[in-house]
Amino acid sequence: MVDVDDTALYVTDTGGAGQPVVYLNGAYADLSHWKKVVADLGPGYRHIRFDERARGKSKQSADYSFEACLRDIDAVLAARGVDGPVILVGWSYGGVLGWHWADRNPDRVTGLVTVDSFPFGLTREESAERIRKLFHKMRFLLPFVRPFGMAARMSAAQHAEVNIELNEIAAASVAVLERASHPVRFVLATGDSLGSEKGEMESGRTVLDPIIAHNPNVTISAKVASNHSKILAKDSPAVAAAVRGLVTD
């Protein structure tokens, strides 16, 4: 466990001299979602995974903000003695975290693999209310899906606020990607996510097109037939290939 602020984070680290790869989870997910990617990449890398606050085996906190999650990356790397360049692999919420951490720490990043995250969000107040209503309806279901890494030890209202903040930050992240000085490889799905309207996610992915045209460091490594929720389970080889490409490029 790694102590940070008022909480403690559960961390796994395979160690060794290989390229460090740091995995950043989806908003309510735990580190188990990365097991197929880790297996596909194999022992030639140093795999560092951790559960965010109130997810998986980590402790609860009074602060579930995006800034707190950025501090958690710093705390994990410091605790594991990693000060050299890392590859960040982030899915959904974790992808957005990766963009911003790399933007603040450009000398500590070899590159990023972003799994179905994109700089698009529902920022209008009616969209925020839609998210709150969705989690309010799901409030009795959350404890039952928690063991599968699909919910955190938070209230339904806290789940909603994490999602609302993510939408706002993701929508404001175009400039972060446009100025990225390190390789950013996207592995994208084609389907929707829980709570999104039909086609909404695919429409959001098109926001990447002008960024890719503007910044040659940003590319799409693969686009796969999975939906947002199942991409790590069904298309882990595409994610692993994107990581290997950062090492060999």
Side-chain angles (χ1 to χ4, degrees):
M1 302 294 282
V2 171
D3 293 328
V4 53
D5 297 341
D6 65 344
T7 186
L9 308 178
Y10 176 70
V11 180
T12 66
D13 179 1
T14 59
Q19 166 70 57
V21 181
V22 180
Y23 299 87
L24 305 175
N25 308 330
Y28 318 113
D30 60 31
L31 59 78
S32 68
H33 288 264
W34 296 107
K35 61 184 178 182
K36 287 189 175 182
V37 178
V38 171
D40 289 339
L41 282 171
Y45 297 83
R46 180 178 177 181
H47 303 282
I48 301 171
R49 297 180 290 163
F50 67 99
D51 290 331
E52 270 292 356
R53 303 172 185 218
R55 287 79 154 176
K57 297 179 181 180
S58 291
K59 304 299 184 182
Q60 291 173 289
S61 172
D63 187 356
Y64 299 118
S65 67
F66 192 83
E67 287 295 324
C69 291
L70 290 172
R71 293 197 299 275
D72 291 344
I73 301 172
D74 292 327
V76 168
L77 292 179
R80 300 311 303 157
V82 178
D83 54 12
V86 300
I87 291 175
L88 298 174
V89 186
W91 166 47
S92 193
Y93 186 95
V96 184
L97 279 174
W99 306 339
H100 285 263
W101 193 88
D103 188 56
R104 300 181 188 189
N105 301 274
D107 296 335
R108 300 182 67 188
V109 177
T110 297
L112 285 79
V113 173
T114 300
V115 184
D116 212 38
S117 314
F118 34 90
F120 171 83
L122 307 173
T123 58
R124 295 167 299 177
E125 183 54 34
E126 60 266 31
S127 298
E129 282 306 305
R130 190 177 96 193
I131 292 169
R132 292 188 182 103
K133 288 178 181 178
L134 171 67
F135 280 100
H136 182 72
K137 289 179 181 178
M138 292 174 59
R139 65 192 184 281
F140 299 118
L141 180 63
L142 294 174
F144 296 99
V145 300
R146 190 177 297 146
F148 304 100
M150 298 171 64
R153 291 189 305 283
M154 304 176 186
S155 68
Q158 288 171 322
H159 278 84
E161 293 311 311
V162 166
N163 196 284
I164 291 166
E165 184 188 38
L166 170 62
N167 273 274
E168 293 172 348
I169 291 172
S173 295
V174 170
V176 172
L177 287 170
E178 285 185 335
R179 64 176 177 255
S181 58
H182 37 265
V184 185
R185 304 288 180 259
F186 281 84
V187 178
L188 299 176
T190 56
D192 293 310
S193 67
L194 181 65
S196 67
E197 296 179 353
K198 185 174 177 60
E200 197 169 56
M201 295 284 286
E202 188 63 5
S203 175
R205 294 176 186 112
T206 64
V207 175
L208 288 171
D209 294 342
I211 297 171
I212 291 169
H214 174 81
N215 186 350
N217 290 318
V218 181
T219 59
I220 295 176
S221 177
K223 193 159 187 180
V224 297
S226 299
N227 66 25
H228 183 76
S229 300
K230 297 179 179 179
I231 188 169
L232 290 181
K234 290 192 170 184
D235 290 287
S236 61
V239 180
V243 174
R244 291 191 195 98
L246 290 175
V247 176
T248 58
D249 282 355

